Amino acid sequence: MTNQEIFELMARFDASTAATLKLSTKDFSLELGKAVAAAPAAVAVAPVAAPAAAPAAAPAPAAQPEGPCITAPLVGTFYAASAPDAEPFVKVGDKVKKGQTVCLMEAMKMMNEVHAPCDCTIEAILQEDGALVSFGDPLIRYREG
Amino acid sequence: MTNQEIFELMARFDASTAATLKLSTKDFSLELGKAVAAAPAAVAVAPVAAPAAAPAAAPAPAAQPEGPCITAPLVGTFYAASAPDAEPFVKVGDKVKKGQTVCLMEAMKMMNEVHAPCDCTIEAILQEDGALVSFGDPLIRYREG
Amino acid sequence: MFKRILIANRGEIAVRVFRACRELDIEPVVVYSQADVNALHVQLAERAYCIGPARSADSYLNVDAILTVAKATGCDAIHPGYGFLSENDEFADACAQAGIAFIGPSGDVIRAMGNKAAARKLMMSAGVPVVPGSDGAVETAEQAKELADSIGYPVLIKASAGGGGRGMRRVFEPDQLIPLFEEARSESVACFGSGEMYLEKLILNPRHIEFQIMADQQGNVIQLGDRDCSIQRRNQKLIEESPSKALTPELRERMGAAAVAAAKAAHYVNAGTIEFVLDPDGNFYFIEMNTRIQVEHPVTELVTGMDLVREQIRIAAGLPLSRTQEEVVQKGHAIECRINAEDPAHNFQPCPGKIDFVHLPGGYGVRVDTGLYSGYTLPPYYDSLMAKLIVFAPTRLEAIRRMRRALEELVIEGPANNTDLLHQIMHHPDFVRGNYTTGYLEANMDTLLSWSRVGEEEAKA
Amino acid sequence: MFKRILIANRGEIAVRVFRACRELDIEPVVVYSQADVNALHVQLAERAYCIGPARSADSYLNVDAILTVAKATGCDAIHPGYGFLSENDEFADACAQAGIAFIGPSGDVIRAMGNKAAARKLMMSAGVPVVPGSDGAVETAEQAKELADSIGYPVLIKASAGGGGRGMRRVFEPDQLIPLFEEARSESVACFGSGEMYLEKLILNPRHIEFQIMADQQGNVIQLGDRDCSIQRRNQKLIEESPSKALTPELRERMGAAAVAAAKAAHYVNAGTIEFVLDPDGNFYFIEMNTRIQVEHPVTELVTGMDLVREQIRIAAGLPLSRTQEEVVQKGHAIECRINAEDPAHNFQPCPGKIDFVHLPGGYGVRVDTGLYSGYTLPPYYDSLMAKLIVFAPTRLEAIRRMRRALEELVIEGPANNTDLLHQIMHHPDFVRGNYTTGYLEANMDTLLSWSRVGEEEAKA
């Protein structure tokens, strides 16, 4: 890709409403991003309520943790251990085998085991024991190997 | 101004929502403009009405003519000549003196003479004879000298 | 009264129910699919939970996920909105088993009214007119002739296995009955391998008229007047109004009484709708009962001054109806237009995508129910309803004029939509006169589209 | 009926009048200053003319420019909105001379009601109570004492040249009258070089109650009920509601009758407002008459179901009132909040500027009148009113809850505004009980602001 081609791409990108552009070919890759944040989507937040009826502030979306994560396969309650007084399935630093149970998710009184997707090392437990967790939310961060 | 400073300015400008930037100091001037049009302002246009009640399409804002213009000093009716059958005050190509009457604007049955702001050559008559013209709208384009 | 309600829906109806909860000081809990993370109902809510991926079957139809959230958040009721799980008898049962109030009728009632044949029988027993027909299969052409002679012509012969017009014949003359019946049966055998045939009266140029019902757990049933929903495209309603121009006070009275009788026969509880077809001679026939809140409920709210979603919640909480039949008065005129992300000029192809800019109409007598905002991206996975524009005025003509100006104010930059088509209909002589049937849109589509094209060219010129 | 109306205003009221014109099939012509080229009323209009630069005196107050456009475009009427030329008697005269209907009362009526002393005398002659006082200057302290004794304490002594509290004294005890009078007079002489003094009854903890009047050219006068506008800051109304919680049916009846008597005495035509103060004992006194449509007219529209701007236009066209007094029924409860671009935390400093994003509330019982749209820049030259949020519900408490949820839905990204303050007021026990006077805001400002700060900190945490 010549510089001239890149400039053309940049110009098209500037004129479009896209916020990011990523392009990669065999021997070349380019990333463009606009400085202006996509404000409107985040904007429709209710004004702060009066103390008399103050609802809790809307839960901030969980910060995207760095590194791969095991995510919730369904909406439900997260349990780190098989029973309230039992040892957690995994702790930070544990090395686990692919398929090993790392936590439970309860939905409709059914306990669903969540398994490690590969041999890996546990880097962080991202949910509180007993918390209601949305579908797709990150549960446990890991590092392969 | 060093190039470094200009680059910084450009970066700030990119990140802002401003559409144009003009800067001038004693011995330096800079203009920046964004390619993306300020969409929202032009957007609140009523959908096309049905034929039964079809209103005329909203008058497009007069295209900004190139070159300096004599603009309407008040809202009123534009007259190119002193009477319906008289010769127009000026024609395209005429050379006029500063202060010379170039057209009339009628408001409240009062005729207001519009004068040339400098010695100049008439380049275009931008309004129809007898048209209602908004305050500030261009009437006559001219070239100095 | 309930403490916390889970709203098991999305789009404008989720926002509608959310508002009713806030106004009753009930905490709303909302759920959403991964495709709806930026939806307005999620933005508004303090408590929102993702229940699955975009596909409805995995999220908004996912009973386990919804009940899990309801229980974990301590909800004592679930509002199903319309569509999705709203007429799912098993979901209503599951809510009841979980000790959570389902804001709607019981699973038994949903089941009973969901079975067309059973519902038809129930209505007949309650003295509610149904479209006359064979009440099951007719064995021979002679039986069919006998039946057709007794119910009167024209009649419609239908193969029970039929579809797409195959095995179907309209019969206008008695002497055509037997040959056409045989023809239809042969076609059905050839196409579907079955010769089972039905017969029913063919209603020409019908209106779709429905009555809003509200019934409490104490056994009180009231009707809140009629809605004319005849402006449809392939059974999808586009414009609804109340009251209908087709009904005389006497006919309205009789149809309302039939609607109440229908609801009572079904032991109905909560909000429901009795749908009728009305022929040009003023004969009306029950078609079906919708056991949920309808998209078009706001027109009834505006003419009766009664908040139907609030009333639904009160009823589910065990409170009696807030009005008697005598206290329900239809006043003024309301019209609703459905703004859909679909392109009328291209066979109503759905047009999801980013809404770059939206400006909604406002002012006196205008109501907008929507999940749109500037910058919102309409996902491609669900229906194309973007917004409901509802107007109210003392008379029908004033309401039409108000709707015109509201449509003129509406600006949606981004996906194509049907705003212009709706605006053309508001100027069409047959609509203005109130002289339309369910065939209106098909019959006038070409005219309406050509008006739009002319308008577009004028705007460009 | 008129063919074409020029709207001689800007902002939300220009949009309001524009809508009324469209709904009556009257062509609206709008005018604007150079600062308003992107304003909503200009965007909506087919015919829009710039009448001058930003400064009001050169544009919206420019009588020649406005009449020039009206004549050149063939307008047969002018709607002045509120503010600007709406109570300018000479403009009303000029319209009449130009053969263009001024949508409001005649110049003579505007003049008569604009002169406070003359209006006061007229009201007294019509038997309408006015604040008891000296009806002109009092010469000596002894005369003042005699008058004060007759009208009862407390009284207010005022220097006719006074201002900012100088030369003003409140007198609660008879024996304080003479010394305080002398003191005030000395102060006035020292400060303003004048010793001319007035005296009037001091109304403690008053409510501001006003009645909407509508009068046709045939001499019929009706009143459309009351509005309570006591939530004010420095005489700027912030929240208005109808009906007032302070009035008994009997008192409402008497005040309404007084309002009609006042309008009849003034030979009033078109929409007007009679403003009263109401003391805690139920005594009411005329203060002034506003000879135009008011900002807060929508609350009356919602409780009476009567379109006031439409009615104004009909009256100006010579049509009789569309309702008799008996046909006017106040039903339900309406509240209006004025959303202003001003920062309550910084002494209500005006905050014009770019509106990056706006999301307006909607749904049942919510009306928004505004000129805002996403991307609009609020110019610094005019008043700070951005939007009016008006709700309607069967009862006052339901209306308050609806207003809370509407305020919660409202999002304005850009200039600071008073949304949060209004939301706090909707939760304040005195407001919820309807227990407030014109002193409410000053007395509770600190509490309300501290609530907002707590809320902000919680939101951050």
Side-chain angles (χ1 to χ4, degrees):
Chain A
M1 213 174 215
T2 66
N3 262 5
Q4 193 52 42
E5 284 171 310
I6 295 172
F7 296 160
E8 262 178 49
L9 245 168
M10 288 174 69
R12 288 293 173 104
F13 174 71
D14 275 345
S16 84
T17 55
T20 57
L21 181 153
K22 296 188 187 189
L23 174 75
S24 57
T25 62
K26 211 156 19 141
D27 51 3
F28 175 83
S29 89
L30 173 73
E31 279 197 31
L32 292 174
K34 278 184 187 157
V36 183
V43 126
V45 167
V48 177
Q64 202 54 41
E66 49 306 340
C69 288
I70 301 166
T71 58
L74 42 76
V75 63
T77 306
F78 172 86
Y79 291 113
S82 60
D85 48 359
E87 278 293 296
F89 290 103
V90 294
K91 290 194 298 286
V92 171
D94 283 3
K95 286 192 181 290
V96 297
K97 290 282 169 200
K98 176 175 175 177
Q100 189 176 329
T101 298
V102 294
C103 64
L104 299 178
M105 290 287 297
E106 181 189 353
M108 302 302 293
K109 305 215 185 281
M110 292 279 290
M111 285 296 179
N112 300 273
E113 294 185 346
V114 179
H115 306 290
C118 57
D119 293 0
C120 60
T121 308
I122 302 300
E123 293 221 306
I125 313 291
L126 301 166
Q127 300 289 347
E128 298 274 317
D129 196 54
L132 179 61
V133 173
S134 279
F135 169 82
D137 273 3
L139 302 174
I140 290 170
R141 195 170 78 237
Y142 63 89
R143 195 179 65 239
E144 274 199 58
Chain B
M1 213 174 213
T2 64
N3 264 2
Q4 194 52 45
E5 285 169 310
I6 295 172
F7 298 157
E8 264 179 48
L9 244 167
M10 287 173 69
R12 287 293 172 103
F13 175 71
D14 276 344
S16 82
T17 56
T20 57
L21 181 153
K22 297 187 188 190
L23 175 75
S24 60
T25 63
K26 214 162 6 143
D27 50 2
F28 176 85
S29 88
L30 174 72
E31 279 195 33
L32 292 174
K34 278 183 188 160
V36 182
V43 129
V45 168
V48 177
Q64 202 55 43
E66 50 306 343
C69 289
I70 301 167
T71 58
L74 41 76
V75 65
T77 306
F78 171 86
Y79 292 112
S82 59
D85 48 0
E87 279 293 295
F89 290 104
V90 294
K91 291 195 294 290
V92 172
D94 284 3
K95 285 192 180 288
V96 297
K97 289 281 168 202
K98 175 174 179 177
Q100 190 177 328
T101 299
V102 293
C103 63
L104 299 178
M105 290 287 297
E106 181 188 354
M108 301 303 290
K109 305 212 185 282
M110 292 277 292
M111 286 296 178
N112 300 273
E113 294 183 345
V114 180
H115 304 289
C118 58
D119 293 358
C120 59
T121 306
I122 302 302
E123 294 221 307
I125 314 292
L126 301 166
Q127 301 289 347
E128 298 274 317
D129 196 54
L132 179 62
V133 173
S134 278
F135 169 83
D137 274 2
L139 303 174
I140 289 170
R141 195 169 81 237
Y142 64 89
R143 196 178 67 238
E144 272 198 60
Chain C
M1 185 45 69
F2 301 121
K3 195 164 160 282
R4 203 169 289 131
I5 291 177
L6 184 134
I7 302 170
N9 216 302
R10 64 177 301 285
E12 67 86 18
I13 194 65
V15 175
R16 172 71 187 90
V17 177
F18 185 94
R19 287 169 171 158
C21 290
R22 289 288 297 117
E23 291 174 6
L24 282 161
D25 265 348
I26 296 170
E27 189 183 7
V29 174
V30 309
V31 295
Y32 59 99
S33 76
Q34 279 187 313
D36 274 340
V37 62
N38 290 322
L40 185 59
H41 74 286
V42 181
Q43 303 268 353
L44 289 171
E46 306 289 336
R47 306 184 73 170
Y49 296 95
C50 182
I51 49 168
R55 208 164 69 97
S56 299
D58 299 326
S59 49
Y60 297 109
L61 294 172
N62 185 340
V63 171
D64 280 358
I66 289 168
L67 285 177
T68 296
V69 174
K71 285 186 198 168
T73 55
C75 286
D76 37 14
I78 293 181
H79 197 301
Y82 52 68
F84 296 130
L85 294 171
S86 62
E87 295 184 283
N88 183 314
D89 52 336
E90 290 175 17
F91 181 62
D93 288 342
C95 288
Q97 279 151 25
I100 295 171
F102 175 80
I103 301 175
S106 68
D108 286 342
V109 171
I110 297 175
R111 255 185 299 281
M113 301 314 286
N115 179 324
K116 303 280 168 203
R120 179 181 163 92
K121 275 195 190 123
L122 185 65
M123 289 307 127
M124 287 169 73
S125 74
V128 177
V130 297
V131 178
S134 58
D135 285 324
V138 278
E139 300 297 327
T140 66
E142 287 67 31
Q143 279 177 20
K145 175 76 167 62
E146 200 175 324
L147 186 62
D149 287 349
S150 77
I151 63 179
Y153 294 81
V155 296
L156 190 66
I157 298 165
K158 289 200 290 190
S160 56
R166 298 289 185 95
M168 188 182 281
R169 290 293 183 279
R170 296 164 160 226
V171 185
F172 288 82
E173 300 298 333
D175 59 3
Q176 291 296 304
L177 195 277
I178 290 177
L180 286 172
F181 184 90
E182 300 293 1
E183 205 179 289
R185 183 156 61 183
S186 304
E187 193 172 287
S188 178
V189 170
C191 292
F192 313 110
S194 153
E196 194 173 277
M197 305 302 288
Y198 289 79
L199 186 147
E200 66 177 35
K201 192 168 175 64
L202 174 62
I203 313 292
L204 289 171
N205 303 316
R207 294 231 185 196
H208 176 114
I209 306 284
E210 59 186 32
F211 275 73
Q212 177 69 51
I213 285 295
M214 201 56 90
D216 63 22
Q217 297 185 26
Q218 289 74 22
N220 303 301
V221 181
I222 57 173
Q223 53 91 359
L224 293 129
D226 58 294
R227 295 187 288 256
D228 194 327
C229 313
S230 304
I231 306 286
Q232 309 181 341
R233 181 183 170 269
R234 301 198 180 159
N235 295 316
Q236 288 293 309
K237 297 166 187 167
L238 190 63
I239 297 172
E240 300 98 345
E241 59 179 315
S242 181
S244 169
K245 250 211 137 192
L247 305 190
T248 60
E250 184 270 336
L251 182 55
R252 178 170 292 112
E253 180 91 20
R254 277 199 294 133
M255 291 178 78
V260 169
K264 282 191 169 159
H267 299 292
Y268 200 76
V269 174
N270 217 293
T273 297
I274 314 288
E275 297 194 334
F276 295 107
V277 287
L278 175 70
D279 76 15
D281 299 326
N283 301 304
F284 62 92
Y285 308 100
F286 170 87
I287 15 176
E288 63 171 353
M289 178 162 194
N290 292 317
T291 57
R292 51 162 164 86
I293 195 80
Q294 306 263 101
V295 176
E296 60 270 25
H297 75 276
V299 296
T300 299
E301 294 187 319
L302 294 183
V303 293
T304 61
M306 200 164 170
D307 185 329
L308 298 189
V309 176
R310 177 190 176 89
E311 197 72 16
Q312 282 196 293
I313 295 170
R314 288 169 50 93
I315 288 169
L319 293 170
L321 286 171
S322 59
R323 291 197 203 172
T324 64
Q325 187 67 64
E326 291 65 42
E327 288 165 343
V328 176
V329 184
Q330 264 182 295
K331 206 182 146 187
H333 199 93
I335 304 176
E336 172 177 284
C337 279
R338 301 193 189 187
I339 313 295
N340 295 327
E342 57 187 23
D343 186 354
H346 294 92
N347 201 29
F348 293 86
Q349 173 191 310
C351 301
K354 175 118 185 269
I355 314 286
D356 295 317
F357 176 84
V358 61
H359 180 74
L360 301 171
Y364 189 37
V366 174
R367 165 177 172 184
V368 186
D369 277 36
T370 184
L372 292 195
Y373 56 86
S374 286
Y376 175 65
T377 297
L378 205 69
Y381 309 104
Y382 314 107
D383 71 21
S384 63
L385 182 65
M386 299 166 104
K388 302 188 311 201
L389 220 64
I390 314 115
V391 299
F392 177 73
T395 65
R396 187 169 183 272
L397 186 58
E398 286 168 275
I400 290 174
R401 285 179 169 166
R402 186 158 280 162
M403 182 59 88
R404 289 177 188 166
R405 78 97 176 143
L407 288 165
E408 285 156 20
E409 284 180 30
L410 176 66
V411 182
I412 299 174
E413 292 265 309
N417 60 72
N418 63 342
T419 303
D420 190 44
L421 174 68
L422 293 163
H423 194 240
Q424 306 293 3
I425 295 173
M426 290 294 139
H427 285 88
H428 191 277
D430 287 345
F431 183 82
V432 173
R433 286 187 208 115
N435 180 22
Y436 59 82
T437 68
T438 54
Y440 170 86
L441 209 59
E442 205 184 343
N444 293 288
M445 201 61 215
D446 289 344
T447 310
L448 295 165
L449 284 179
S450 72
W451 285 0
S452 290
R453 277 193 300 272
V454 169
E456 270 164 31
E457 278 153 25
E458 276 176 8
K460 272 183 207 150
Chain D
M1 186 46 71
F2 302 122
K3 195 165 160 282
R4 202 169 288 131
I5 291 177
L6 185 137
I7 303 170
N9 216 302
R10 63 177 302 284
E12 67 85 19
I13 194 65
V15 174
R16 171 72 186 88
V17 177
F18 185 93
R19 288 168 171 160
C21 290
R22 289 288 297 117
E23 291 173 7
L24 281 162
D25 264 348
I26 295 169
E27 189 185 8
V29 173
V30 310
V31 295
Y32 60 98
S33 76
Q34 279 188 313
D36 274 341
V37 63
N38 291 322
L40 185 58
H41 74 287
V42 181
Q43 303 267 354
L44 289 172
E46 306 287 338
R47 307 185 71 170
Y49 297 93
C50 180
I51 48 170
R55 208 165 69 98
S56 300
D58 299 327
S59 49
Y60 297 109
L61 295 171
N62 185 341
V63 172
D64 280 357
I66 289 167
L67 285 178
T68 296
V69 173
K71 285 186 199 166
T73 55
C75 287
D76 38 12
I78 293 181
H79 197 300
Y82 51 69
F84 295 128
L85 295 171
S86 63
E87 295 184 282
N88 183 313
D89 52 338
E90 290 174 16
F91 180 64
D93 289 343
C95 288
Q97 279 151 25
I100 295 171
F102 175 81
I103 301 176
S106 69
D108 286 344
V109 170
I110 297 175
R111 256 185 299 281
M113 300 315 286
N115 179 325
K116 304 277 166 202
R120 179 182 164 91
K121 271 188 193 130
L122 185 66
M123 291 305 127
M124 287 169 73
S125 72
V128 177
V130 298
V131 179
S134 56
D135 285 323
V138 278
E139 299 299 326
T140 66
E142 288 68 30
Q143 278 178 16
K145 174 78 164 62
E146 201 175 322
L147 186 62
D149 287 349
S150 76
I151 63 179
Y153 294 82
V155 296
L156 189 66
I157 298 164
K158 289 201 290 191
S160 55
R166 298 288 186 93
M168 189 183 280
R169 291 292 183 282
R170 297 165 158 225
V171 187
F172 290 81
E173 300 296 333
D175 58 4
Q176 291 293 304
L177 193 281
I178 289 177
L180 286 171
F181 185 91
E182 299 293 2
E183 207 178 287
R185 182 154 63 184
S186 306
E187 194 171 285
S188 178
V189 170
C191 291
F192 312 109
S194 155
E196 193 173 276
M197 304 302 288
Y198 288 78
L199 186 147
E200 65 176 38
K201 190 164 176 67
L202 174 63
I203 313 292
L204 289 171
N205 302 317
R207 293 235 186 192
H208 175 114
I209 306 284
E210 59 186 32
F211 275 73
Q212 177 69 49
I213 285 295
M214 200 59 87
D216 62 23
Q217 297 185 25
Q218 288 73 20
N220 304 302
V221 182
I222 58 173
Q223 53 91 1
L224 292 130
D226 57 294
R227 295 187 288 256
D228 194 326
C229 312
S230 304
I231 307 285
Q232 308 182 340
R233 179 179 170 272
R234 301 198 180 158
N235 295 316
Q236 288 293 309
K237 297 165 188 168
L238 190 64
I239 297 172
E240 301 97 345
E241 60 178 315
S242 180
S244 170
K245 246 208 139 195
L247 305 191
T248 60
E250 183 271 333
L251 182 54
R252 178 169 293 115
E253 179 92 20
R254 277 199 294 131
M255 291 179 78
V260 170
K264 283 192 169 158
H267 299 290
Y268 198 76
V269 173
N270 218 295
T273 298
I274 314 286
E275 297 195 335
F276 296 106
V277 287
L278 175 70
D279 78 15
D281 299 327
N283 302 303
F284 62 92
Y285 308 100
F286 170 87
I287 15 176
E288 63 173 352
M289 177 160 195
N290 293 317
T291 57
R292 52 165 164 84
I293 195 78
Q294 307 261 104
V295 176
E296 60 271 24
H297 76 274
V299 295
T300 299
E301 293 187 318
L302 294 183
V303 293
T304 62
M306 201 165 169
D307 184 329
L308 299 189
V309 176
R310 177 190 175 88
E311 198 72 15
Q312 283 196 292
I313 295 170
R314 289 170 49 93
I315 289 169
L319 292 170
L321 285 170
S322 60
R323 292 197 202 172
T324 64
Q325 187 66 65
E326 290 66 41
E327 290 165 342
V328 176
V329 184
Q330 265 182 294
K331 205 183 147 188
H333 198 94
I335 304 177
E336 171 178 284
C337 279
R338 300 192 189 189
I339 312 296
N340 295 328
E342 56 187 25
D343 186 355
H346 294 93
N347 202 30
F348 292 85
Q349 174 191 311
C351 302
K354 175 117 184 272
I355 316 287
D356 295 316
F357 176 85
V358 61
H359 180 75
L360 301 172
Y364 190 38
V366 173
R367 166 177 172 183
V368 185
D369 278 34
T370 184
L372 292 195
Y373 56 86
S374 287
Y376 175 66
T377 296
L378 204 70
Y381 310 104
Y382 313 105
D383 71 21
S384 63
L385 182 64
M386 301 167 101
K388 303 189 310 200
L389 219 64
I390 314 117
V391 298
F392 177 73
T395 66
R396 187 169 183 273
L397 186 59
E398 286 167 275
I400 290 174
R401 285 180 169 165
R402 186 157 281 164
M403 182 60 88
R404 289 177 187 164
R405 79 97 175 141
L407 287 164
E408 285 157 20
E409 284 179 29
L410 176 66
V411 181
I412 299 175
E413 293 266 309
N417 61 72
N418 63 343
T419 303
D420 189 45
L421 173 69
L422 292 163
H423 194 240
Q424 306 295 0
I425 294 172
M426 289 295 138
H427 285 89
H428 191 277
D430 287 346
F431 182 83
V432 173
R433 285 186 210 115
N435 180 24
Y436 60 81
T437 67
T438 55
Y440 170 86
L441 208 59
E442 205 184 344
N444 292 289
M445 201 59 215
D446 288 345
T447 309
L448 295 166
L449 284 178
S450 72
W451 285 0
S452 290
R453 278 193 299 273
V454 170
E456 272 163 32
E457 278 154 24
E458 276 178 8
K460 273 181 210 155

